[in-house]
Amino acid sequence: LAPRALSSGSQESHDIIVLIRDQGNPIDEVLTTELVGDLLTAGLQPNQIMRMTNFSDNESYWTLLPWFLAVAEKDVTAQWYLFLEPESKVDVGAFAEFVATLDASEPHFIGNACKDMKAAITHHYRLGLQYPFLPSGFLLSSTLMASTVGYLKTHRMGNDFQIDVAHELASFFDKRLQVQIQHTDRFCSHDVSFDDDEASSSSSSS
């Protein structure tokens, strides 16, 4: 992915920002360091990569929505926001080709979609809702990111206990913004080796 950057006032705008949801434990540190190294080698610039542990007061950021607000306060913006787990892998070239086919002015929420086969208490017994497999990563357009931040700034966030962050995020988008995840096999969930058309993968099978 070409690390194109445009300056606009006090902000720097990129094609893509990668956000890694690392949580500070030793395994995450090893995996995240390797992932960051791979991304830099592939051509991304350091300010295109944001680790969750590099944000202050990040205790609640693992639930994602509070992290969105913190990201919006940074002086770097992007057309696309790619959220990864420490164990995620990215074929940057394939990813660049994929996002080139998309329109960031549309409210895109893209990933490897999962769906419950049976009702589960951890998902509030809700069937039919598709949600991202987080180790494969998920992608938000700048338009959806802006809409999400705008909503969060004008509505009080609840303090509900969360078990499955991916399901809660998909439920938020569905209920509050009327946006559903768009499934693509480009966000795969098997071994780190990539097929020609895969852009993101997890290092463990689902």
Side-chain angles (χ1 to χ4, degrees):
L1 182 65
R4 181 173 63 88
L6 300 174
S7 295
S8 178
S10 61
Q11 289 195 322
E12 188 172 335
S13 180
H14 293 278
D15 290 326
I16 177 72
I17 287 178
V18 176
L19 300 106
I20 305 171
R21 197 178 68 118
D22 60 322
Q23 299 186 51
N25 61 65
I27 295 177
D28 272 11
E29 181 61 32
V30 171
L31 292 173
T32 303
T33 298
E34 180 180 349
L35 175 57
V36 170
D38 290 344
L39 293 171
L40 293 174
T41 299
L44 269 69
Q45 298 300 307
N47 61 351
Q48 289 181 270
I49 304 169
M50 297 184 181
R51 296 179 54 169
M52 191 179 75
T53 51
N54 288 344
F55 287 74
S56 59
D57 301 321
N58 61 23
E59 290 83 1
S60 66
Y61 291 0
W62 67 275
T63 63
L64 292 174
L65 291 179
W67 194 18
F68 291 2
L69 287 170
V71 170
E73 294 176 357
K74 294 289 185 180
D75 58 359
V76 179
T77 62
Q79 292 296 303
W80 298 100
Y81 295 82
L82 176 63
F83 288 82
L84 302 176
E85 298 290 288
E87 64 267 34
S88 303
K89 300 291 181 182
V90 182
D91 182 328
V92 174
F95 183 77
E97 293 178 1
F98 174 61
V99 296
T101 67
L102 304 172
D103 183 356
S105 68
E106 298 293 328
H108 286 297
F109 172 31
I110 302 172
N112 182 356
C114 305
K115 184 170 66 174
D116 293 343
M117 301 302 293
K118 296 181 179 180
I121 188 173
T122 54
H123 292 168
H124 313 290
Y125 298 105
R126 183 179 181 185
L127 289 174
L129 179 71
Q130 296 190 27
Y131 52 93
F133 179 65
L134 292 185
S136 295
F138 66 91
L139 182 68
L140 301 184
S141 64
S142 55
T143 295
L144 182 55
M145 190 69 166
S147 297
T148 303
V149 170
Y151 183 94
L152 295 174
K153 286 182 176 180
T154 56
H155 295 75
R156 183 176 180 274
M157 294 177 63
N159 295 316
D160 295 339
F161 181 71
Q162 295 195 19
I163 297 176
D164 189 332
V165 175
H167 192 274
E168 297 292 347
L169 179 68
S171 181
F172 169 86
F173 283 143
D174 181 49
K175 291 181 178 179
R176 308 302 181 189
L177 301 177
Q178 291 74 56
V179 173
Q180 293 78 40
I181 188 170
Q182 301 161 250
H183 173 77
T184 174
D185 291 334
R186 297 260 184 163
F187 287 73
C188 54
S189 58
H190 54 70
D191 191 73
V192 296
S193 58
F194 292 91
D195 292 334
D196 290 342
D197 61 347
E198 290 169 346
S200 177
S201 173
S202 72
S203 57
S204 60
S205 299
S206 62

